[in-house]
Every structure is written in C-alpha cells, then in structure tokens.
Amino acid sequence: MDTPQLGPTAATEIAAFAFELGTLKRESRKGWLDAHVPNPESVADHTCRTAQLAALIAALEGGDPARASHMAVWHDSQETRTRDLNKTAKPFLPAVDHEAVTAAQVARMPDLLQTLLRETVAEFEAQATLEAVAARDADRLECLFQAIEYRAAGNTLMQEWIEDSYSKLKTTSALQIADAALTTSPLHWRQ
C-alpha cells in the first residue's frame, strides 16, 4: 500500500490541528460547574466514553460500530472554537453551525482529511443513519453515566441531567443500558 507523502505545509497544518484538539483536554464541561462539581470532566474525557458507548450501541442495533464510534470521536471537536456551551448559555447565543466550524478547522488540511471530517460531522448532525443516532445516544448516555457517578460521589444536584439525558434516548439498546445504569452501582464492575 502506497502511503501518501505529506508536504511540510500539510504536516504542519495537521500538527496545528492536533494542538487545537488538545484544548479539549482542558475544556471543562460547563453544566457540571453549574451543579457545583469540583474539577468536572473535560470535553475530551466525555468524548472517550461516548465513542466507546457508540460502538456498543451501534453493534447492538445492527449498525457499524466503527462508524458510530468515529462520529462520536468528532461530535464535540468544534468546542475547541465555541467552547462547551451549557443549557443555560445556549438560549442567549446564536445556534452553533457545527459543520461550518468543522470546515473552518480543517480548511488548510489536505483535501482527503477535509472531506473525511466534514462528511463525518455532517452525517452526525443530520441524524439520518443508524450510526449517527447511536453516536448521539452515546453522547446522552455518557452524560447520564457521568451524572450517576457524580451523584454516587455525593452531589445531590444530578437528577436534572439524568432525566434530561434519559428522555432524549432513541435506541432500544441505549434505553435498556440506561435503565440498567439507574439500578447498578458504579462499582459493580469490580465484582
């Protein structure tokens, strides 16, 4: 297999984008700050479990787990530029066009990568494929899991996040996993 050779400019733009993506490791999820969670998870923390859950949900629903996971990896990548906007802030700001943000992020990268990321984000935003729905459900399910974990650690303000996340789930598999999560100890895995 022939590997394409990157020119110095293309390689530099990819490296710059990787540094940009690194900001997601330092971007706290803002809703948790409203709920008085000290040192809340970052957007990157959230993205990791979301991608893992997306693969599981897609497989259970008969879809392509790799495709769903791939979309989940990129679903919040725009937050390098928009930051994490919580439920309280969104009504006061114009809607974020995730496809436009992605296009700006990748504009100087090789065409192959521009196409890959633009199509990935467009598919996720359109919610027209099983994999996109699985990825969105994973996003919501991950929030539900995180809220349950924060509640188990003593935060009593989590019910709003649990109910909101649960109410938006679409797939049978995600709903069944959420039902189980609501009655399972976060430490059950240690048995």
Side-chain angles (χ1 to χ4, degrees), residues 17 67 70-71 74-75 77-78 97-127:
F17 187 49
R67 184 80 191 144
H70 178 73
M71 276 186 267
W74 296 101
H75 86 283
S77 59
Q78 305 78 20
D97 181 342
H98 290 199
E99 292 176 59
V101 174
T102 299
Q105 287 175 310
V106 301
R108 293 187 305 254
M109 290 174 46
D111 290 343
L112 170 74
L113 300 181
Q114 287 186 45
T115 300
L116 171 70
L117 296 180
R118 290 177 76 168
E119 288 177 357
T120 298
V121 171
E123 182 179 351
F124 179 79
E125 293 298 323
Q127 289 292 290

Side-chain angles (χ1 to χ4, degrees), residues 19-28 41-45 47 73 76-81 83 105:
F19 284 125
E20 179 177 345
L21 292 171
T23 66
L24 297 175
K25 295 193 296 183
R26 297 179 298 280
E27 180 67 23
S28 296
E41 69 172 339
S42 70
V43 172
D45 295 331
T47 298
V73 165
D76 278 341
S77 59
Q78 305 78 20
E79 292 182 10
T80 62
R81 299 194 180 193
R83 300 301 182 216
Q105 287 175 310

Side-chain angles (χ1 to χ4, degrees), residues 5 28 31 44 62 67 79 86 91 100 152 171 180 183 191:
Q5 294 298 311
S28 296
R67 184 80 191 144
E79 292 182 10
N86 67 10
T171 62
T183 60
Q191 295 181 8

Side-chain angles (χ1 to χ4, degrees), residues 16 19 25 46 60 65 71 77 88 96 107-108 115 124 136 141 143 168:
F19 284 125
K25 295 193 296 183
H46 163 72
L60 290 168
M71 276 186 267
S77 59
T88 306
V96 174
R108 293 187 305 254
T115 300
F124 179 79
R136 175 86 73 199
L141 189 59
C143 185
K168 293 176 181 173

